């Protein structure tokens, strides 16, 4: 596995492959890798000649300095996991290399996707995501890029970014990879106390219950039931639970035939924020 810390070195290395007309798959991450990330690498490897993974904790997508400062970093373990997964290139840029001397996000219009759910609770988050993803696409110029459905809103926003800017990359959504007890794998899980970790599977259990209720109850009833059950949970604080149209990400109050819906949730365990979602069938 090649490791590059400077974009100039990476682009000069990749230029050798471009002339040979091979396909480049790309998996952007913020590190503290787990099997969820590795599942994206495996999907990329099956479809591309070369797989590039980036690790960059992007300052402009954090709306809380505390969250940014506490974001876990496990670079030796990440490198070992990526080697074992057969990753071809690891890109580890510095903030200076990406942002030069201006650590600011560009402003994007994602047709309203950016104002729903995470957008309401994490001001400016998706401008930061758009900035880093677009920058990394420009450096790496991948044919295919892989994003987890764990961050479903981010996935839809990246698709919008590509459409609106006519970027020559295909975006692929990959299934949420879970622990055996259902908890969606996340770099933030390592920060949970033992008690919080034991409580956390309740998040996915609530989503599954919501999906079961959704087939025969009204949306209001499903939302109320989930909210009430969280009120009884001493370790997990519900930030939002919402049922939304999968395409517009707008919260819905009525089911309509022919539409696709998903339930989205954000929960605090202490000061650690966890998100998850589930597809709903009518
Ligand atoms: P992150 O390092 O958290 O920014 O995540 C990098 C990529 O991995 C994003 O596309 C995430 O959606 C994806 N990802 C993170 N956790 C999971 C998971 N449990 N299952 C699938 N994809 C994931």
């Amino acid at each position: 596995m090649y490791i590059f810390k400077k974009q100039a070195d990476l682009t000069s290395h990749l230029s050798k492959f471009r002339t040979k007309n091979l396909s480049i798959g790309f998996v952007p991450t913020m590190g503290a890798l787990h099997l969820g990330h590795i599942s994206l690498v495996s999907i990329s490897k099956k479809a591309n000649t070369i797989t590039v993974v980036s690790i960059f904790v992007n300052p402009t997508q954090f709306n809380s300095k505390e969250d940014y400062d506490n974001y876990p970093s496990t670079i030796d373990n990440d490198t070992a996991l990526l080697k074992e997964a057969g990753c071809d290139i690891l890109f580890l840029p510095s903030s200076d290399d990406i942002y030069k001397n201006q650590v600011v996000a560009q402003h994007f219009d994602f047709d309203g996707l950016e104002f729903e759910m995470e957008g309401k609770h994490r001001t400016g988050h998706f401008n930061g995501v758009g900035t880093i993803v677009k920058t990394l696409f420009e450096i790496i110029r991948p044919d295919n890029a892989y994003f987890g459905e764990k961050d479903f809103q981010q996935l839809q926003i990246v698709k919008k970014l590509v459409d609106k800017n006519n970027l020559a990359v295909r975006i692929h959504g990959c299934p949420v990879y879970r622990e055996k007890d259902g908890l969606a794998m996340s770099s933030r899980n390592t920060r949970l106390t033992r008690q919080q970790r034991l409580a956390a599977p309740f998040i996915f259990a609530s989503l599954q219950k919501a999906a079961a209720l959704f087939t025969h109850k009204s949306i209001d009833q499903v939302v109320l039931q989930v909210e009430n059950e969280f009120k009884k949970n001493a370790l997990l604080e519900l930030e939002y639970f919402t049922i939304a149209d999968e395409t517009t990400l707008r919260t819905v109050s009525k089911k309509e035939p022919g539409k696709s819906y998903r339930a989205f949730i954000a929960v605090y365990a202490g000061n650690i924020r966890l998100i998850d979602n589930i597809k709903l069938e009518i």
Side-chain angles (χ1 to χ4, degrees), residues 24-253:
I24 297 175
F26 174 45
V27 181
T29 82
M30 298 204 298
L33 300 184
H34 49 66
L35 294 178
H37 296 111
I38 298 303
S39 71
L40 270 53
V41 175
S42 306
I43 294 170
S44 170
K45 273 188 66 73
K46 285 198 190 105
N48 297 281
T49 331
I50 291 174
T51 291
V52 181
V53 173
S54 64
I55 295 181
F56 179 63
V57 184
N58 174 35
T60 64
Q61 74 185 68
F62 284 82
N63 55 320
S64 147
K65 187 176 178 313
E66 189 199 359
D67 191 24
Y68 176 65
D69 289 343
N70 289 319
Y71 202 82
S73 169
T74 56
I75 196 63
D76 292 342
N77 189 55
D78 293 354
T79 309
L81 278 177
L82 289 173
K83 273 188 192 160
E84 198 184 309
C87 168
D88 301 288
I89 297 173
L90 170 57
F91 182 39
L92 276 176
S94 66
S95 187
D96 284 354
D97 200 27
I98 294 291
Y99 285 105
K100 313 300 173 219
N101 42 19
Q102 277 226 314
V103 188
V104 286
Q106 295 164 45
H107 186 268
F108 293 92
D109 174 359
F110 295 121
D111 293 345
L113 293 179
E114 70 275 35
F115 302 127
E116 305 299 329
M117 300 180 293
E118 292 298 282
K120 284 189 188 137
H121 296 272
R122 303 186 68 188
T123 312
H125 170 65
F126 288 117
N127 280 330
V129 169
T131 303
I132 188 60
V133 170
K134 188 160 178 281
T135 304
L136 290 170
F137 282 173
E138 283 161 1
I139 296 168
I140 294 160
R141 290 168 48 210
D143 301 281
N144 297 293
Y146 299 85
F147 291 83
E149 287 184 348
K150 151 104 183 351
D151 303 284
F152 193 85
Q153 186 172 10
Q154 170 174 276
L155 167 65
Q156 299 297 66
I157 279 186
V158 171
K159 285 182 180 165
K160 185 68 82 178
L161 173 83
V162 166
D163 279 356
K164 291 193 98 169
N165 293 279
N166 289 317
L167 306 179
V169 50
R170 276 180 302 274
I171 303 302
H172 303 267
C174 306
V176 184
Y177 205 87
R178 299 182 179 282
E179 301 285 357
K180 283 201 184 72
D181 57 19
L183 177 65
M185 288 196 183
S186 162
S187 306
R188 291 185 173 88
N189 292 352
T190 57
R191 294 183 51 221
L192 296 170
T193 64
R194 207 179 111 73
Q195 267 198 324
Q196 288 168 338
R197 176 62 190 83
L198 288 172
F202 185 73
I203 300 168
F204 184 53
S206 302
L207 287 178
Q208 286 180 303
K209 191 158 182 192
L213 291 173
F214 187 75
T215 58
H216 60 282
K217 298 256 184 197
S218 74
I219 291 180
D220 284 353
Q221 285 171 321
V222 179
V223 173
L224 198 64
Q225 177 133 0
V226 171
E227 287 178 348
N228 282 339
E229 287 185 13
F230 267 94
K231 281 184 191 145
K232 292 180 231 150
N233 194 308
L235 289 173
L236 303 173
E237 192 192 330
L238 184 64
E239 184 177 50
Y240 67 77
F241 170 79
T242 189
I243 294 178
D245 180 298
E246 209 174 64
T247 314
T248 63
L249 300 182
R250 287 211 191 103
T251 298
V252 288
S253 51

